[in-house]
Amino acid sequence: MKPVSLIQFLIEERRAGHINAELSLLIEVVARACKRIGVATGKGALGGVLGEAGTGNIQGEAQKKLDVISNEILLEANAWGGHLAACASEEMEDPQQIPDGYPKGQHLLLFDPLDGSSNIDVNISVGTIFSVLRCPDGVTEPKAEHFLQPGTTQLAAGYVVYGPATVLVLTFGHGTHEFTLDREVGSFVLSRRNIRIPEQATEFAINMSNQRHWQAPMQRYVGELLAGKTGPRGKDFNMRWVASMVADVHRIVTRGGVFYYPLDAKIEKQGGKLRIMYEANPMAFIVEQAGGAATTGRRRIMEIQPTGLHQRVPVFLGSKEEVELATHYHLEADGAMS
Ligand code: P6P
């Protein structure tokens, strides 16, 4: 069968009325920027881009050189196309306006330019996560509050994982689809259409070193997974933790499973570890469109009304039945406590 390029797929989506010309251009620009990020990360030690940048971001995290480079690549690529009203990034406290003199569009782009960058120096897969919202009508200089829309309002979401292959996974709300970069030609080629995540899981991803800090329902739930055949679940489970959300989520999108970053005593005050606007919401959209589920352990992530551009939430996502069980344990425990 003739391969379908990302460009051809975007034309199909426009003909189907799923996207407009401006959003199509936005995705093309982001995909092209991610190819450049892939080239930069692929240079490793030879590119002089490993290690710390010597700066910190809004999260109070030390920035890697590639965090800054990736952020710049995405900002520069999106500045002049006329498809955006503004950008927001994990690496920047406030939204970045489109420079004066350049045309503006009706979309807001949010991204984590290089998620999992702590893995860069040890050559483990990292990725870019992005989300697209509509700019409210009449807003010409979008501020942070204009980005604070629930995940259900996303027009598009995607990630690019820079692994052995460079793979883009994308949704417009009409299924989740995967594109693999043909490095010889330089174009993303459709490799999986309408992905379905198996509803049952045999693999879970969580940072077990936090185990003693988890809330009781999480202790119960993970304890049952670890008990395997000898416990109430009656089957053994496998565990993975890459510590790059994009890599862990891509495994789940590819073969099922669940990913958890629950509240724990260390991060309870900040509301969680992962950021809702450019990590949890886009990943939730992608996973739900593939038949999975995404909650905070207590409610659907995409229904949350965000209160801050860098707000953090707990993340339970992946195979539907498993996420629903873990969520049920938390709601049951809350009920027992109320
Ligand atoms: P921990 C990477 O820093 C990240 O934001 C996600 O990509 C990843 O899932 C998580 O944090 C890893 O957190 O606490 O295991 O280092």
Side-chain angles (χ1 to χ4, degrees):
M1 192 170 75
K2 194 167 176 302
V4 175
S5 70
L6 174 63
I7 306 298
Q8 289 166 308
F9 179 83
L10 293 173
I11 291 168
E12 280 177 20
E13 289 295 283
R14 281 180 58 185
R15 285 197 182 125
H18 296 161
I19 61 174
N20 63 24
E22 193 178 286
L23 180 52
S24 178
L25 174 60
L26 196 171
I27 298 301
E28 280 184 62
V29 167
V30 169
R32 201 176 314 126
C34 289
K35 282 193 280 189
R36 283 188 58 199
I37 292 172
V39 169
T41 54
K43 288 181 177 167
L46 304 180
V49 293
L50 297 183
E52 307 286 333
T55 52
N57 63 15
I58 169 66
Q59 325 288 341
E61 298 160 343
Q63 288 176 304
K64 297 285 189 183
K65 288 178 190 163
L66 275 167
D67 283 324
V68 177
I69 292 167
S70 303
N71 196 56
E72 285 306 314
I73 288 172
L74 281 160
L75 292 177
E76 285 161 20
N78 283 286
W80 48 270
H83 50 278
L84 273 190
C87 292
S89 165
E90 178 191 1
E91 301 302 331
M92 305 183 306
E93 182 164 2
D94 299 312
Q96 171 104 355
Q97 302 302 321
I98 298 304
D100 289 342
Y102 285 125
K104 292 193 178 186
Q106 279 305 309
H107 293 93
L108 301 174
L109 176 65
L110 304 97
F111 48 81
D112 179 354
L114 203 61
D115 175 73
S117 54
S118 58
N119 282 320
I120 277 279
D121 297 352
V122 294
N123 199 30
I124 289 175
S125 298
V126 291
T128 299
I129 310 170
F130 62 89
S131 172
V132 181
L133 298 170
R134 186 182 310 285
C135 184
D137 290 342
V139 174
T140 53
E141 299 286 333
K143 303 289 181 290
E145 64 263 24
H146 299 117
F147 286 78
L148 302 185
Q149 304 174 32
T152 49
T153 65
Q154 291 176 99
L155 299 174
Y159 63 77
V160 176
V161 52
Y162 310 110
T166 295
V167 175
L168 163 69
V169 172
L170 179 65
T171 186
F172 295 119
H174 300 272
T176 291
H177 316 285
E178 177 196 272
F179 302 82
T180 300
L181 180 63
D182 177 339
R183 290 193 175 112
E184 287 157 26
V185 175
S187 60
F188 281 104
V189 177
L190 183 65
S191 39
R192 288 179 73 196
R193 193 194 285 263
N194 292 319
I195 294 169
R196 303 306 292 168
I197 297 173
E199 296 209 353
Q200 298 188 339
T202 56
E203 204 162 51
F204 68 99
I206 195 166
N207 183 337
M208 285 298 294
S209 72
N210 297 321
Q211 193 266 350
R212 68 185 187 281
H213 301 295
W214 296 335
Q215 297 176 335
M218 203 64 198
Q219 301 268 6
R220 172 190 175 195
Y221 171 74
V222 174
E224 291 179 0
L225 298 181
L226 295 173
K229 283 200 180 80
T230 66
R233 301 302 305 273
K235 65 176 185 177
D236 287 341
F237 289 79
N238 191 26
M239 201 204 97
R240 289 283 183 276
W241 187 249
V242 183
S244 281
M245 185 184 198
V246 177
D248 279 315
V249 171
H250 189 63
R251 184 188 57 254
I252 289 162
V253 165
T254 303
R255 67 186 190 206
V258 281
F259 170 98
Y260 297 121
Y261 213 111
L263 281 180
D264 67 47
K266 296 183 300 179
I267 56 173
E268 197 142 11
K269 285 193 182 57
Q270 65 188 43
K273 161 92 178 195
L274 302 172
R275 278 64 51 141
I276 187 170
M277 295 308 297
Y278 39 78
E279 289 173 326
N281 267 340
M283 290 306 202
F285 194 15
I286 288 163
V287 164
E288 286 196 6
Q289 283 293 312
T295 75
T296 63
R298 292 175 164 90
R299 61 180 299 201
R300 186 182 175 212
I301 286 175
M302 292 213 298
E303 287 177 351
I304 294 172
Q305 173 53 53
T307 55
L309 198 54
H310 303 289
Q311 179 184 350
R312 298 170 188 258
V313 290
V315 175
F316 291 37
L317 66 76
S319 292
K320 194 180 179 75
E321 287 184 18
E322 211 54 48
V323 170
E324 288 175 348
L325 178 63
T327 303
H328 169 69
Y329 281 9
H330 282 72
L331 294 175
E332 187 182 56
D334 292 352
M337 286 168 63
S338 57

